[in-house]
Amino acid sequence: MSFAALGLSEEIVRAVTERGYTEPTPIQAQAIPVVLSGRDLLAGAQTGTGKTAGFTLPILQRLSATTKPASGKAPIRSLILAPTRELAAQIEESVREYGKYLKLHSMMMFGGVNINPQIQKLRGRVDILVATPGRLLDHVQQRTVDLSHIEILVLDEADRMLDMGFIRDIKKILALLPRQRQNLLFSATFPDEIKLLADSMLNKPALVEVARQDATAELITQRVYPVDRERKRELLTHLIKEHNWHQVLVFTRTKHGANRLAEQLGKDGIPALAIHGNKSQAARTRALAEFKSGELQVLVATDIAARGIDIIELPHVVNFELPNVPEDYVHRIGRTGRAGSEGEASSLVCVDEHKLLRDIERLTKREVPVVQVPGFEPDPRIKAEPILNGQNRGQQNRGGGQRSRSQTPARSGGQLGNSRGGAGGGKPAHHRFGGRGR
Ligand code: AMP
């Protein structure tokens, strides 16, 4: 199937072809005709499936088909809400790129940066606005944005927005939109809250769902490396140097842990930077750009900060610490092995984390192969310690203590954990760790 066969215009197909896409992904093949028809859409798809183009392409097409006269102030016609600044920036970049042969104007808006340039930009023409909910409401309050002519609304990564506490903001925003409009809701999981939101905002939606790009993906090689709590950094340095890994995305549970690890890797001679919510937008953008270009070997991130990092063929994801919420493991490793390329997901697991690993394996219904690196065998005398506030005790002693996403309660529901093949979901993980000599 081609993009043209989906009913997209020549200008859009040209831009997509130049981007290097030859065929629509499954979510695109299903979602694009629905959106073009004007229907509401409820889509089950996570990052990595090509969902962004699944909604941006048909929105561009619909808006360009009925371009408003240039005279007078043209209203904002499409609003795309996203949970994080990174995701908003990436969606807007896609809108700009796919719409480069059209006469439509887009804008992104998010918090953490000066509001004045955004106010300035809103005075000009904006057809498509990509925003995070909080900053959009700041503009609403200041009466610097008019949402009364929105024709198409998108909620992207709706489950994440709910997780991050945006539900009230979203409801406030919904109340400001015209009743007559097209609604598209994208979510990776469908807990009850999402179902309620979908019921309240969607009008006879078409349902589209694609297989998750996740732990089941054959393209992702998963490994567990047993190691002592205090020797993780040493092992990580060893693995990166030994295998000459580049573009390594490393996850830690806390912002403090991310900073500290990036610093230590730097001392080991491995260029690394941390990104998380406490960093300025400029610092995050710079780190991402350097990471994408390959200049920066390692990017250390917390779960929230990593949302929306969009890099094709990200080869290595490392769980420096396992997440407390098993679904986060699936999200994390879903950042590798994308769009047909192979990837490796490595987890450094200490004695404190055996239960977390067991929960992950139960969820994904597969056992992750254990690889013991000689010289890093765990010392059997070291006993498990509870992981408090997202940190091991050893780390707490060194300060930090910010609330991390891993402390938020586990999401319920969703499509995780079903229809997975694979061996040995029931075998407790800790039986596979024998300590020294394995
Ligand atoms: P998304 O799920 O929208 O974050 O997209 C995941 C990745 O797939 C992005 O890097 C896109 O650039 C890429 N992508 C999207 N659509 C296609 C396509 N039709 N063919 C190949 N790659 C694509």
Side-chain angles (χ1 to χ4, degrees):
M1 164 140 10
S2 69
F3 280 98
L6 293 175
L8 294 169
S9 67
E10 191 273 322
E11 290 89 345
I12 294 178
V13 173
R14 190 162 16 126
V16 166
T17 309
E18 282 175 18
R19 173 79 205 249
Y21 306 163
T22 47
E23 264 188 63
T25 65
I27 187 81
Q28 291 161 3
Q30 294 178 68
I32 290 171
V34 170
V35 182
L36 286 178
S37 78
R39 271 187 84 175
D40 279 10
L41 173 72
L42 179 57
Q46 66 167 183
T47 310
T49 54
K51 67 182 168 64
T52 314
F55 62 81
T56 51
L57 300 180
I59 289 176
L60 285 164
Q61 167 111 352
R62 276 177 70 71
L63 298 186
S64 62
T66 55
T67 308
K68 294 271 154 74
S71 61
K73 167 93 169 74
I76 302 172
R77 299 170 64 198
S78 180
L79 173 64
I80 302 171
L81 290 176
T84 63
R85 349 182 201 191
E86 277 81 11
L87 191 60
Q90 277 159 18
I91 294 170
E92 203 256 347
E93 196 185 316
S94 301
V95 169
R96 251 183 299 133
E97 179 153 1
Y98 305 142
K100 66 182 174 185
Y101 298 118
L102 303 172
K103 292 193 182 69
L104 292 167
H105 298 257
S106 59
M107 170 180 174
M108 64 179 160
M109 101 179 12
F110 42 67
V113 295
N114 188 338
I115 199 166
N116 292 327
Q118 296 176 355
I119 294 175
Q120 197 59 37
K121 184 132 203 214
L122 282 165
R123 293 200 182 112
R125 176 171 181 146
V126 177
D127 299 284
I128 301 172
L129 176 62
V130 188
T132 53
R135 178 51 69 93
L136 179 61
L137 282 176
D138 292 341
H139 281 281
V140 166
Q141 254 177 4
Q142 298 197 24
R143 297 177 190 278
T144 44
V145 70
D146 175 10
L147 301 177
S148 66
H149 291 85
I150 296 295
E151 296 165 37
I152 309 175
L153 168 74
V154 181
L155 293 192
D156 193 20
E157 306 211 348
D159 50 353
R160 284 279 151 173
M161 286 205 267
L162 260 54
D163 274 357
M164 291 170 70
F166 283 137
I167 185 72
R168 284 171 61 113
D169 289 353
I170 289 171
K171 287 191 171 153
K172 277 188 210 160
I173 293 164
L174 289 180
L176 299 166
L177 306 180
R179 291 177 83 87
Q180 182 72 21
R181 58 171 202 266
Q182 185 179 15
N183 300 290
L184 317 176
L185 190 153
F186 285 78
S187 195
T189 60
F190 288 91
D192 289 344
E193 258 185 310
I194 291 286
K195 288 184 196 141
L196 281 173
L197 182 68
D199 283 347
S200 70
M201 70 172 256
L202 302 176
N203 176 24
K204 299 198 195 85
L207 303 177
V208 163
E209 197 176 327
V210 294
R212 296 173 64 87
Q213 170 98 20
D214 62 14
T216 61
E218 259 77 72
L219 293 168
I220 306 175
T221 308
Q222 299 176 63
R223 291 198 186 94
V224 159
Y225 292 95
V227 62
D228 284 335
R229 184 187 311 126
E230 300 295 338
R231 297 192 67 200
K232 284 190 174 187
R233 196 263 307 147
E234 206 186 319
L235 175 60
L236 180 59
T237 296
H238 170 84
L239 288 171
I240 290 173
K241 289 190 171 166
E242 169 99 359
H243 302 290
N244 196 21
W245 285 349
H246 280 85
Q247 277 199 326
V248 193
L249 178 62
V250 179
F251 284 94
T252 59
R253 289 198 197 102
T254 66
K255 301 173 196 178
H256 173 70
N259 280 338
R260 200 156 52 89
L261 181 61
E263 251 170 55
Q264 290 171 330
L265 290 173
K267 285 183 190 150
D268 289 345
I270 298 171
L273 282 174
I275 56 162
H276 51 64
N278 286 6
K279 296 259 168 172
S280 73
Q281 184 56 31
R284 294 212 265 178
T285 309
R286 194 172 56 241
L288 266 180
E290 285 180 18
F291 186 58
K292 282 190 188 188
S293 73
E295 216 174 305
L296 186 66
Q297 198 169 358
V298 177
L299 192 65
V300 189
T302 54
D303 288 285
I304 289 189
R307 291 300 300 167
I309 292 179
D310 174 27
I311 295 164
I312 316 173
E313 297 174 36
L314 185 59
H316 299 284
V317 168
V318 174
N319 294 302
F320 189 75
E321 293 146 332
L322 288 179
N324 288 357
V325 181
E327 281 90 340
D328 281 347
Y329 176 84
V330 178
H331 280 292
R332 288 177 177 188
I333 73 165
R335 327 217 123 248
T336 181
R338 280 188 191 183
S341 58
E342 292 185 18
E344 279 186 333
S346 311
S347 302
L348 312 191
V349 176
C350 72
V351 64
D352 311 335
E353 298 172 303
H354 289 182
K355 179 174 178 310
L356 295 179
L357 179 63
R358 211 158 59 231
D359 292 346
I360 288 164
E361 293 184 322
R362 197 171 289 147
L363 177 77
T364 59
K365 293 201 168 54
R366 58 170 65 184
E367 204 169 85
V368 185
V370 174
V371 176
Q372 182 62 64
V373 179
F376 288 92
E377 292 85 357
D379 180 346
R381 289 166 303 181
I382 297 178
K383 297 283 169 264
E385 289 177 5
I387 298 166
L388 300 169
N389 300 325
Q391 298 181 313
N392 297 73
R393 201 200 62 190
Q395 293 169 333
Q396 280 179 339
N397 292 344
R398 284 176 219 110
Q402 300 100 328
R403 187 181 155 80
S404 75
R405 214 198 81 71
S406 50
Q407 290 164 260
T408 57
R411 286 184 297 283
S412 62
Q415 322 126 310
L416 282 164
N418 50 27
S419 73
R420 300 260 168 79
K427 191 173 163 195
H430 57 260
H431 290 338
R432 295 187 291 126
F433 294 89
R436 278 190 192 282
R438 278 186 43 124

